[in-house]
Amino acid sequence: MNKLFHALFEPLFEPRRIALIGASADEKKTTARPQRFLRKHGFKGEILPVNPSRSEIMGDKAYKNLEAIAGDIDHAYILLNGKDAVEALAACGRRGVKVASILAGGFADAGAAGASLQDDLARIVRETGIRLVGPNSIGTVSTDPPMALTANAAFAVDRLRAGSWAMVSQSGSLIGALLSRADARGIGFSRLISVGNEVDLAVGEIADLLVDDPKTDAILLFMETLRDGERLAHAARRAHAAGKPVIAYKLGRSEIGQELAKSHTGAIAGSDATFDAFCRRHGIARVSMFESLVDVPALLVDRPPARGKRVAVATTTGGGAAMVVDNMAMAGLDIVDPPQALVDWLKPLGIAAGEGKLVDLTLAGAKPEIVAGTIERLLADDGNDAVIFVVGSSAQFNPELAVEPLLKFAKSAKPFAVSLTPSAEKSLALLTAAGVPAFRHPESCAEAMAVCLLRPTPQPVPALAEPARGALDALAAGRVSGFDERCAADFFAALGVPVAKALAIPDAKRIAAAVAEIGGPVALKILSADIAHKTEAGGVALGLPDGQTAAVAAREIEKRVKAHLPNAKLEGFLVQKMERGLAEVILGFRRDPLVGPTITVGLGGVLAEIYKDAATRLAPVDETEARQMIDEVKGLATIRGYRNLPRGDVDALAKAIAAFSALAHQAFADVSEAEINPLLVKRDGEGVVAVDGLVILSAAKDLMPVAIGD
Amino acid sequence: MNKLFHALFEPLFEPRRIALIGASADEKKTTARPQRFLRKHGFKGEILPVNPSRSEIMGDKAYKNLEAIAGDIDHAYILLNGKDAVEALAACGRRGVKVASILAGGFADAGAAGASLQDDLARIVRETGIRLVGPNSIGTVSTDPPMALTANAAFAVDRLRAGSWAMVSQSGSLIGALLSRADARGIGFSRLISVGNEVDLAVGEIADLLVDDPKTDAILLFMETLRDGERLAHAARRAHAAGKPVIAYKLGRSEIGQELAKSHTGAIAGSDATFDAFCRRHGIARVSMFESLVDVPALLVDRPPARGKRVAVATTTGGGAAMVVDNMAMAGLDIVDPPQALVDWLKPLGIAAGEGKLVDLTLAGAKPEIVAGTIERLLADDGNDAVIFVVGSSAQFNPELAVEPLLKFAKSAKPFAVSLTPSAEKSLALLTAAGVPAFRHPESCAEAMAVCLLRPTPQPVPALAEPARGALDALAAGRVSGFDERCAADFFAALGVPVAKALAIPDAKRIAAAVAEIGGPVALKILSADIAHKTEAGGVALGLPDGQTAAVAAREIEKRVKAHLPNAKLEGFLVQKMERGLAEVILGFRRDPLVGPTITVGLGGVLAEIYKDAATRLAPVDETEARQMIDEVKGLATIRGYRNLPRGDVDALAKAIAAFSALAHQAFADVSEAEINPLLVKRDGEGVVAVDGLVILSAAKDLMPVAIGD
C-alpha cells in the first residue's frame, strides 16, 4: 500500500465528500436513491447534491453546479444521461474531483452514437487524469465505514450486512441478486462495485486495489467479458500471494451465452476455453453456479492451497451423502476410504465404517462425541485432502445439537464442509455464523469442493528466449511475399518445430533428382502464389514412391491446374517427404482479443474436430505445461500407452508445443494466428514432424500486448 | 381401478385399522414414533399397539399379540428386528393381515446372514399372500385422509402439508429431506412411501397403484437401483396415458455413485446409460438435481407434452436472464428470438426488444401491464415451445407487485416458468401457491425446463417377428460346440446382419481356390477350438492379395502356431474377404440385470472407446429408433454428411442395428451378450458388413425376462 493506492482507493471506496450530480428531490426517482441509500446506511461524510433548480434536497444543502462547492470532492456520482453526463465528467475533471462514477447506460452498450459519446468520456479521462467508474455503473458500496453510493434498488434493505468479501461486477443488477442471496445466508460484503462499461477503471485494476484492502479477504467477480486482462492477471497473482482467493463467475459458457454477454454489454465475450486458460494461468477459481460466489469463499479464505483432490465423507444419512459423492465424482474428485484408525475406533461403538467409501454413522452414530471424533480422525488422516460431513434430519429438528459438534472445525487447516440434506435454514445460519462452510444442495457442495481442491495456483510465465535469427528472417520474408507453404515451413523449423523434408523445384524436369535426394514416397504440390486451394485445383498428389511416378504425377498436376486455373502463374513444385506417425496433432497459436496469446493442442483429423478434444493455455508454455496439455487431450491417450498401443514421442511433442508457443514473443507480434495441421507424432524416440501449416499476419498495427505474468 | 386395486391400495395408503407390532411406550424411542406421528397428524382410524408387556400405550389399548386383536387388520407395521421381525411377518400372514411393513434393516442390506433372513421374508410372502413393504422401510404416509405410519423423524413437523404429488423412495432418509424442502417451498404431497429392500412391493408396483390414485397427479421416484423394471415400465406407460408425469432421481451417475448405491442398499446399481435408456423408452423424466424432484412437476402436471425445445425468454434483469439462458443452452435447449408482433408492440413503449434473443424490458418495462402483455404475446407465438420470465430485484422488494402480472399464466397450455434472480422467498411462495412454476436458481430453472421440453414420451416396443430358422439353427449349433467365429458369423447373418464373405478350408492346399472364389484381398485365420487368441498365437494374416501370397502366409501361420502352441489341434483356415468401409461401428447386445435386453451402437476403434461415444437403447429397436441412435453417436457424423465427407450407408446400418436387436426375442434368451466389432459401414447404397464378433451364452438358466412395453 502506498500513496498511489490511497489516492485511488480512498475516494473510490472511502470518500468523505461525495457530490451527487443530478440528484433528484423526488424520492421515487432512481436519481434520488444514492442520497437516500447513503443516509439510510449511515454514511458519515458530507453529501453534496448538485441540482440547478434546488437549494436543498432531503435536508442536504444543494448546489447549482460543481463550481459552487468549496473544497475537495473525493467522489462524484453523475446521475445525468448522455451528453449531460459527458459535460458533467468534464466539469469534474476541471474541478479536480478524484473519482467520478456515471450511472447512465446508453454509451458503447447502445450502438454507434453511444460509442462516440463513450469515446468522449475516454478522452476526458486521458486529458484530465480523473478516474472513472462506468458509465453504466449502478454504484459503489462499502460497509465499514458505511458508504452506499448506489442507485441499486437492492440497497433499499433495512440493514447492510458487513463482511470481508468484496464483489466486483460487470452486471449491476446481479449485485443486488448476490447481495440478497448472501444476506439470506447471513453473509455480508466489504465492498460491492458495479464497473459498467469500464472506460477507465475495470475489474482488474479494482481487484488489484482490493488486494491491499485490509477489510477484504476474498475477491468475487461477476464477469461478462474481460477488458483489462493484464491487470486482472497481475491482481490475481498478488491476491494469491496475499492469501486472498479470487473467485469468478463468467457468462458465456454456451455459445448463446457468449452472444448474450456481447449484446448485453457491448463487449466481446471471448471463447470460454481461453478464459479458462486465463484463470488457470493466473490462479483464479472459476465457478459455474451463481450462488457458488457466496458458497465457495468460506472454503478458501485463510487456508493453504489444497494438496490433492481426495475427499473423505462421513454422514448420518447414507442417501444424502451418496448424492454429494455422486456429484463430486462427476466433478473429477476422488472419494477415499476412511483410515483404519477411524474404523477401529468406531467398531466398538457398533458402527461398521470400513465397508464403503462413506463413513455412514447411521442414526446410531449421530451422538455429538461420535460425530466430532469421526471428523477429528478424518481431518488428521493423511490419506485425504478434504473432509465433508453430510447431516440428515437432525439439522432440521435439532439445529443446535446437530451443528454443535461441527463448529470447532471452522478453522481446520484442511478444507472441511458440511452439506445439509433437508431444508435446514437454522443449521445453515449457525454454521455460517461460526465460519463453517455449509451447503444446502448436494450439487453446490460438490461444486464448491471441486473448485476448492482443483482451483489453480498462479503458474509462472515461462521466460522467452530471444527469437532465433532464422525465425525473424522467415517472418520478414513472409511479411514481404506472404506466407506460402514453403515460407511457413521455414518459419516453424526456425522456431524449433521439426518439419517434413521438402525441396522446391522450378519445373518437372528436376523431380527425379529431388525425389532421389529426399527419398520416396513423396508428396507433390504445385507452387503458385495464385492458387489458394491447391487440392481443389488438382494441384496435389500424394504417396508417390519414386521419381518416375512423381514425374508422371507432375505432368498430370500441370494439366489439371491449367485446365482449372488457366491464368495462374505456376512457380514449380514442392516435393515433400511423405511422413507417417502414430497420431496426428493439430497445434494452434492465436492472439485472443481478451486474454492475449494462446496455444491449443488437439487431436488432428475430423473426429477430433467433432469431439472438440483440445487443451488451451496462455502462451508461452514450457515443456512441463505442454505435457499437462498433452495429458488433457483425451484422444492422445493412444500415444500415452493406452492398452498396449505403441507409445508416441510425447517428449518431442511437448518440446514442439513449447517451441511453437514462443510465437507469444513480442518480436512476432504481427502473427495473429498460426497453425500446424497435422503435426505427426512418431514412435517414442523418433520425434514429431510438421507436415502442413499456415501463418496469418495481422493487417492492422493495433496489436494486442503479450499477456504478462507477475 | 378395480377390486384388486382396492385390496392393496386401501390397506397400504388408507388403512383403517393399523397394528404396531413392537410399539414402545417410551416416547423417545424410534419404535414409539409411528404411534406418535399417526396421532399427531390426525389419523382417524384405529391404532392397535402390540406389546407383550403393556396393556396400554399412549392412551391406546395395547395387545399381547396379534391374535388378541379381534377383527380385520388392514396394515401392520413391524417394529422388531431380525428374527423377531420374520416371526411377526409370519404371524401377520397367518392372521390375514393385508399389508405389512417392516422398519428394521439388517437384511439383504447387511451381508449373508441378513440375506438369509430376507429369504425367509420372501418365503412367507409367497406362502401366505400377505403384501410386504420393506424390510428397511421407514414408513408410508398419506395426507388426505391423514395417515402418518412412519418412524421417520422428519414427520415430527407440526403440520403435514397435503398436496397432489406422491413420492416413492428407495432411501428412507431422503423422504424427510424432500419433505422439508418441499414444505419450505409451500409444496405438500399426497403420499410418501419408503420401499426399503423391496422384497415384495417395489417402486414399479407402487407407482402403478398411484396411477389410479385420484389424490395423486405426479409420481416422484428417488431410486438407488431398479428391482421391478417391468412393472415400473408398465406403470410409467399407464401414468403417461393418465396424464401423470413420472419423475425420477437416480443415484449412480458416476461410477463411485453406482458403488455407493450398491453398498448402501445391497442391490446392484446397473449402468447409468441403461437406466437412461429405460427412462427414454418408457417415458420417465429423469432429473439430475435433487430438488428438481419438487421443482419439475409443476411444469409437467396438466400440460400436453411439449412440441419442441425452443424457449423464449423475457426479463427485467439482463444479467439474471443471461445466466438462465447460458445454462439452458448448455442443457441442449434452443433460445429463440421474440416474435415481430411483440417487438412492434414494445417499440412505442420505448423498449427495443429485437436486438438479441432476450426480451430485456429493463427497469423501464417492469410495469405490470407491459410484463403481462409481453408474456401473453410470447405464449401466443408459434415460434417457441415454452416461455420463461426472469424477475429481478422487484421480486425481493415488492413481491405482490412483481408476481401479480405473472399469476394468470399458471394454467397456460404451454410451459411457463418464472426464475427469480435475487433471494425472494415471498415471491417464490406466492407463485408456487398460485401454481406458477418458479425457481430460485438459474441452474435449477434451466434443468427443469430442459427436463420439461426434452422429456421422453413412451415409445412403442417394436414387435419381434418369429426368428428365422437359420438363426435358431446357428444358436443351437453354438450351444453344442461353442460359438467360434464361423458359427457367430452364421448366426449374425441369419439374424439379418450382412457378414464378410468367408470360407472354412481344412488345409492350406485349398487356399488358392478359396481366394479365387472369394476374391482378394483376403484375411487368413487359423481355425482351432484350442486357440482362444489367434492373433497372439500368430494365427492371423491380413491383406493377402492373391492365392499365392495366401498360400505362403498359411505356411507361415502354421509354423508360428506350431511353435507357439505345439499341442493345439488345427482344424484348417478361415479365408475371409478383406472389407473396407468409411467407418467402423461397434454393435453390442446385452441382457442388463436391471432393465433387460439393451443394444448399444458406438464408433469402433480405440478413439471411440476413449471418448465413450455410444448410444444405448432397450432392445429391440426398429429402424426409426436405430436412426436416432446413429444420430446420437457424435463420431458417426463422419458418415452423416459432415463437411462434404462421403455419406455412409446409414439406412443399411439402421437395418443392421434393428436386426441385431432382435436378439431380445425370447428364443434367444440364453444369449447374454453379443457383439459385432467392427461392423464396417460402406458408401451410401453399398451396405454394411460385419467383420468380427462374438456371442456369449449364459451358463445359468435363471434368465432375465425380456423387458416389456405396454
Side-chain angles (χ1 to χ4, degrees):
Chain A
M1 280 181 280
N2 51 32
K3 250 188 178 169
L4 219 64
F5 165 77
H6 289 289
L8 176 56
F9 184 87
E10 283 175 5
L12 180 59
F13 287 116
E14 300 186 353
R16 271 153 301 190
R17 302 190 82 220
I18 300 175
L20 299 172
I21 304 177
S24 171
D26 178 351
E27 295 210 12
K28 283 183 190 144
K29 288 206 169 160
T30 303
T31 46
R33 285 183 191 157
Q35 194 175 350
R36 268 174 53 213
F37 294 159
L38 281 169
R39 284 275 172 255
K40 176 166 194 160
H41 296 301
F43 177 62
K44 298 286 190 299
E46 249 181 290
I47 302 176
L48 310 161
V50 177
N51 184 325
S53 54
R54 313 275 306 190
S55 60
E56 171 271 320
I57 297 178
M58 293 184 229
D60 289 310
K61 172 174 165 53
Y63 298 85
K64 289 225 160 347
N65 51 44
L66 219 47
E67 285 68 31
I69 303 174
D72 282 355
I73 299 172
D74 298 315
H75 196 144
Y77 198 6
I78 298 170
L79 307 169
L80 306 169
N81 295 323
K83 281 194 177 151
D84 295 338
V86 176
E87 278 164 28
L89 182 68
C92 288
R94 285 193 302 271
R95 177 69 178 69
V97 172
K98 289 166 196 156
V99 172
S101 299
I102 297 178
L103 171 63
F107 291 83
D109 50 306
S116 154
L117 280 177
Q118 184 157 319
D119 289 343
D120 292 342
L121 298 178
R123 189 182 37 76
I124 295 167
V125 166
R126 253 191 334 268
E127 290 175 0
T128 67
I130 191 170
R131 302 309 307 268
L132 173 63
V133 182
N136 210 1
S137 164
I138 204 155
T140 300
V141 174
S142 290
T143 53
D144 176 25
M147 196 285 300
L149 181 62
T150 177
N152 191 334
F155 290 86
V157 288
D158 285 334
R159 184 183 154 238
L160 196 52
R161 202 186 286 267
S164 62
W165 306 342
M167 185 193 186
V168 186
S169 179
Q170 289 175 336
S171 159
S173 65
L174 288 191
I175 287 189
L178 203 71
L179 182 77
S180 70
R181 285 167 181 267
D183 191 66
R185 300 278 302 276
I187 293 167
F189 294 94
S190 58
R191 325 278 176 191
L192 301 112
I193 179 167
S194 154
V195 295
N197 295 6
E198 300 179 307
V199 162
D200 176 26
L201 285 165
V203 165
E205 189 168 0
I206 292 167
D208 200 36
L209 287 177
L210 294 167
V211 173
D212 296 318
D213 175 13
K215 303 270 168 65
T216 292
D217 58 22
I219 301 167
L220 318 184
L221 312 176
F222 185 93
M223 302 184 71
E224 296 173 333
T225 182
L226 174 62
R227 290 196 187 85
D228 64 341
E230 274 188 63
R231 279 182 180 276
L232 181 56
H234 182 71
R237 287 167 178 273
R238 289 186 60 238
H240 179 80
K244 300 186 180 185
V246 179
I247 301 162
Y249 180 102
K250 183 172 176 288
L251 280 177
R253 287 182 299 148
S254 72
E255 275 173 33
I256 167 83
Q258 284 165 32
E259 279 173 40
L260 272 184
K262 186 173 169 176
S263 63
H264 189 57
T265 66
I268 36 171
S271 107
D272 207 51
T274 61
F275 186 72
D276 270 344
F278 178 85
C279 290
R280 174 194 292 260
R281 170 66 62 90
H282 300 300
I284 295 170
R286 185 172 182 189
V287 297
S288 70
M289 295 172 77
F290 178 50
E291 208 163 301
S292 291
L293 279 175
V294 289
D295 269 341
V296 167
L299 265 174
L300 305 186
V301 169
D302 279 341
R303 269 185 240 271
R307 297 165 313 161
K309 55 173 189 168
R310 303 163 303 167
V311 186
V313 182
T315 186
T316 51
T317 166
M323 290 196 293
V324 176
V325 165
D326 214 5
N327 280 287
M328 284 200 295
M330 283 189 296
L333 299 180
D334 297 335
I335 317 301
V336 293
D337 293 327
Q340 195 56 41
L342 175 59
V343 176
D344 293 345
W345 183 70
L346 286 171
K347 202 171 177 189
L349 301 168
I351 297 162
E355 294 184 9
K357 288 174 182 299
L358 279 182
V359 182
D360 190 350
L361 301 176
T362 70
L363 221 55
K367 300 184 184 79
E369 64 279 12
I370 297 181
V371 169
T374 297
I375 295 168
E376 244 160 51
R377 283 165 181 80
L378 288 176
L379 284 170
D381 177 28
D382 275 341
N384 66 59
D385 306 303
V387 176
I388 291 182
F389 190 74
V390 183
V391 194
S393 58
S394 59
Q396 183 187 357
F397 294 105
N398 300 301
E400 281 85 1
L401 282 175
V403 308
E404 185 270 317
L406 309 175
L407 300 183
K408 64 172 147 179
F409 302 109
K411 299 288 163 216
S412 65
K414 210 183 259 186
F416 169 68
V418 176
S419 181
L420 302 169
T421 310
S423 175
E425 296 301 319
K426 183 82 185 289
S427 289
L428 193 66
L430 289 170
L431 290 164
T432 304
V436 178
F439 299 88
R440 51 180 174 172
H441 299 292
E443 297 83 14
S444 56
C445 180
E447 151 135 333
M449 195 48 92
V451 168
C452 173
L453 299 188
L454 303 176
R455 79 175 155 138
T457 50
Q459 299 299 310
V461 177
L464 278 175
E466 274 311 297
R469 190 70 256 161
L472 298 174
D473 291 347
L475 177 56
R479 281 190 192 120
V480 173
S481 61
F483 263 100
D484 70 5
E485 203 168 328
R486 192 65 258 226
C487 186
D490 290 345
F491 187 43
F492 298 154
L495 286 171
V497 179
V499 300
K501 200 170 172 188
L503 283 172
I505 52 170
D507 55 55
K509 275 177 253 166
R510 311 261 185 106
I511 278 185
V515 175
E517 185 177 339
I518 288 171
V522 300
L524 203 59
K525 302 176 185 177
I526 194 86
L527 275 182
S528 167
D530 300 337
I531 304 177
H533 302 288
K534 293 185 177 62
T535 305
E536 283 79 347
V540 177
L542 300 175
L544 309 168
D546 48 42
Q548 202 184 338
T549 334
V552 174
R555 282 191 296 276
E556 282 170 3
I557 284 178
E558 276 183 332
K559 209 187 296 175
R560 281 199 303 263
V561 169
K562 281 181 178 161
H564 197 257
L565 297 165
N567 299 323
K569 191 181 164 224
L570 306 186
E571 290 150 9
F573 294 91
L574 188 74
V575 184
Q576 187 183 43
K577 188 168 174 58
M578 287 292 292
E579 295 277 2
R580 304 187 87 187
L582 296 176
E584 290 187 11
V585 164
I586 180 168
L587 197 52
F589 170 86
R590 184 168 169 263
R591 290 186 194 270
D592 182 87
L594 304 191
V595 306
T598 61
I599 180 138
T600 298
V601 181
L603 198 70
V606 67
L607 277 185
E609 192 180 298
I610 290 169
Y611 292 121
K612 300 193 195 329
D613 182 18
T616 296
R617 294 286 190 285
L618 299 198
V621 295
D622 59 18
E623 285 175 39
T624 307
E625 197 165 5
R627 280 301 293 257
Q628 289 167 5
M629 296 177 77
I630 296 168
D631 287 346
E632 206 173 299
V633 178
K634 281 189 202 168
L636 288 179
T638 54
I639 57 165
R640 292 191 302 251
Y642 183 79
R643 294 213 170 210
N644 293 322
L645 289 174
R647 278 176 187 275
D649 199 333
V650 176
D651 290 339
L653 177 56
K655 276 198 176 65
I657 295 168
F660 197 63
S661 78
L663 285 171
H665 195 285
Q666 272 297 1
F668 307 124
D670 57 340
V671 176
S672 62
E673 273 183 66
E675 185 178 283
I676 297 178
N677 185 18
L679 177 72
L680 298 177
V681 183
K682 304 188 173 199
R683 279 179 179 263
D684 199 9
E686 297 176 8
V688 298
V689 62
V691 171
D692 214 339
L694 56 85
V695 176
I696 296 173
L697 298 177
S698 57
K701 284 295 156 211
D702 52 339
L703 300 170
M704 296 295 304
V706 175
I708 55 108
D710 45 1
Chain B
M1 282 180 281
N2 52 33
K3 251 188 176 169
L4 220 61
F5 166 76
H6 290 289
L8 176 55
F9 184 87
E10 284 176 5
L12 180 59
F13 287 116
E14 301 185 352
R16 271 153 302 189
R17 305 192 79 221
I18 299 174
L20 300 172
I21 304 177
S24 171
D26 178 352
E27 295 209 12
K28 285 182 191 145
K29 289 208 168 158
T30 302
T31 47
R33 286 183 190 156
Q35 194 176 349
R36 268 174 52 213
F37 294 158
L38 281 168
R39 284 276 171 254
K40 175 164 196 162
H41 297 299
F43 177 62
K44 298 285 190 298
E46 249 181 287
I47 301 175
L48 310 160
V50 177
N51 184 325
S53 54
R54 314 275 308 189
S55 60
E56 173 270 320
I57 298 179
M58 293 184 227
D60 288 311
K61 173 174 165 49
Y63 298 84
K64 290 229 160 342
N65 53 43
L66 219 49
E67 285 69 31
I69 302 173
D72 282 355
I73 299 172
D74 298 316
H75 197 144
Y77 197 5
I78 297 170
L79 308 169
L80 306 169
N81 295 323
K83 281 196 177 151
D84 295 338
V86 176
E87 277 164 30
L89 182 67
C92 287
R94 286 194 300 272
R95 177 71 177 68
V97 173
K98 290 166 195 155
V99 172
S101 299
I102 296 178
L103 171 64
F107 291 84
D109 50 306
S116 153
L117 280 177
Q118 184 155 321
D119 290 342
D120 293 341
L121 298 178
R123 188 181 38 76
I124 294 166
V125 167
R126 256 191 332 268
E127 289 174 2
T128 67
I130 192 171
R131 302 309 306 268
L132 174 63
V133 181
N136 210 0
S137 164
I138 203 156
T140 300
V141 173
S142 290
T143 52
D144 176 24
M147 195 286 299
L149 180 62
T150 178
N152 190 335
F155 290 87
V157 290
D158 285 334
R159 184 179 156 243
L160 196 53
R161 202 187 285 268
S164 62
W165 306 342
M167 184 193 188
V168 186
S169 178
Q170 289 175 337
S171 160
S173 64
L174 289 191
I175 288 189
L178 203 71
L179 182 76
S180 70
R181 285 165 182 268
D183 191 65
R185 301 279 301 277
I187 293 167
F189 293 95
S190 58
R191 327 277 176 191
L192 302 111
I193 178 167
S194 154
V195 296
N197 295 6
E198 300 180 309
V199 163
D200 176 25
L201 285 165
V203 166
E205 189 168 1
I206 292 167
D208 200 38
L209 286 176
L210 294 168
V211 173
D212 297 318
D213 174 11
K215 303 269 168 64
T216 292
D217 57 23
I219 300 166
L220 317 185
L221 312 176
F222 184 93
M223 302 183 72
E224 296 175 333
T225 183
L226 174 62
R227 291 197 187 85
D228 64 340
E230 277 189 60
R231 278 181 182 276
L232 180 56
H234 182 70
R237 288 167 177 273
R238 289 186 59 237
H240 179 81
K244 300 186 181 186
V246 178
I247 301 161
Y249 180 102
K250 184 174 175 289
L251 280 178
R253 286 182 297 148
S254 71
E255 274 173 34
I256 168 79
Q258 284 165 32
E259 279 172 40
L260 272 184
K262 185 172 169 177
S263 63
H264 189 58
T265 67
I268 35 173
S271 105
D272 207 52
T274 62
F275 186 73
D276 269 346
F278 178 86
C279 290
R280 175 194 292 260
R281 172 65 63 87
H282 300 301
I284 295 170
R286 185 173 181 187
V287 296
S288 70
M289 296 171 76
F290 179 49
E291 207 163 302
S292 291
L293 280 175
V294 290
D295 268 342
V296 166
L299 267 174
L300 306 185
V301 169
D302 279 342
R303 270 186 238 269
R307 297 165 312 163
K309 55 173 188 168
R310 302 164 304 167
V311 186
V313 181
T315 187
T316 51
T317 168
M323 290 196 293
V324 177
V325 165
D326 214 6
N327 280 285
M328 284 200 296
M330 283 190 295
L333 299 180
D334 297 333
I335 317 301
V336 293
D337 293 325
Q340 194 56 42
L342 175 58
V343 175
D344 293 344
W345 182 71
L346 286 171
K347 202 171 176 189
L349 302 168
I351 298 162
E355 293 183 10
K357 287 175 183 299
L358 278 182
V359 182
D360 189 350
L361 301 177
T362 70
L363 220 56
K367 300 184 183 81
E369 64 278 12
I370 297 180
V371 169
T374 297
I375 295 168
E376 243 160 50
R377 282 163 182 81
L378 287 176
L379 284 169
D381 177 28
D382 276 341
N384 66 59
D385 306 303
V387 176
I388 290 182
F389 190 74
V390 183
V391 193
S393 58
S394 59
Q396 183 187 354
F397 293 105
N398 301 302
E400 281 84 2
L401 282 175
V403 307
E404 185 270 318
L406 310 174
L407 301 182
K408 63 172 147 178
F409 303 109
K411 297 290 163 217
S412 65
K414 210 183 258 187
F416 170 67
V418 176
S419 181
L420 302 169
T421 309
S423 176
E425 296 302 318
K426 183 83 185 288
S427 289
L428 193 66
L430 289 170
L431 290 163
T432 305
V436 178
F439 299 89
R440 52 179 173 171
H441 299 292
E443 297 83 15
S444 57
C445 180
E447 151 135 333
M449 194 49 93
V451 168
C452 173
L453 298 187
L454 304 175
R455 80 177 154 137
T457 50
Q459 299 299 308
V461 178
L464 278 174
E466 274 312 298
R469 191 69 253 160
L472 298 174
D473 291 347
L475 177 57
R479 282 190 192 119
V480 174
S481 60
F483 264 101
D484 70 5
E485 203 168 329
R486 192 67 259 226
C487 186
D490 289 345
F491 186 43
F492 297 153
L495 286 171
V497 180
V499 300
K501 201 170 169 186
L503 283 173
I505 51 169
D507 54 56
K509 274 178 253 164
R510 311 261 186 107
I511 278 185
V515 175
E517 186 177 338
I518 288 171
V522 298
L524 202 59
K525 302 176 186 177
I526 195 85
L527 276 182
S528 166
D530 299 336
I531 303 176
H533 303 288
K534 292 184 178 63
T535 306
E536 282 80 348
V540 177
L542 300 174
L544 310 168
D546 49 41
Q548 203 183 337
T549 335
V552 174
R555 279 192 297 275
E556 284 170 2
I557 285 178
E558 275 182 334
K559 211 187 295 176
R560 282 199 302 263
V561 168
K562 279 181 180 161
H564 197 257
L565 296 165
N567 299 321
K569 193 182 162 224
L570 306 185
E571 290 150 7
F573 296 91
L574 188 74
V575 184
Q576 188 184 42
K577 190 170 173 57
M578 287 291 293
E579 295 277 3
R580 305 188 87 188
L582 297 177
E584 290 188 10
V585 164
I586 179 167
L587 197 53
F589 171 85
R590 185 166 168 264
R591 289 185 195 273
D592 182 86
L594 304 190
V595 308
T598 62
I599 180 138
T600 297
V601 180
L603 199 69
V606 68
L607 278 185
E609 193 180 297
I610 290 169
Y611 292 121
K612 299 193 196 327
D613 182 20
T616 297
R617 294 286 190 285
L618 299 197
V621 295
D622 58 18
E623 285 174 38
T624 308
E625 197 165 5
R627 280 301 293 256
Q628 290 167 4
M629 296 178 76
I630 295 168
D631 287 346
E632 207 172 299
V633 179
K634 281 189 200 166
L636 289 178
T638 53
I639 57 165
R640 291 190 304 250
Y642 183 80
R643 294 216 169 204
N644 293 322
L645 289 173
R647 276 174 190 275
D649 199 334
V650 176
D651 290 340
L653 177 57
K655 276 198 175 67
I657 294 168
F660 197 63
S661 79
L663 285 170
H665 196 286
Q666 271 298 358
F668 307 123
D670 57 339
V671 176
S672 62
E673 273 184 66
E675 186 178 282
I676 298 178
N677 186 17
L679 177 72
L680 299 176
V681 184
K682 304 186 173 202
R683 281 179 178 262
D684 199 8
E686 296 176 8
V688 297
V689 62
V691 171
D692 214 339
L694 57 84
V695 176
I696 296 172
L697 298 178
S698 56
K701 283 299 158 204
D702 53 339
L703 302 170
M704 296 296 302
V706 176
I708 56 109
D710 46 2

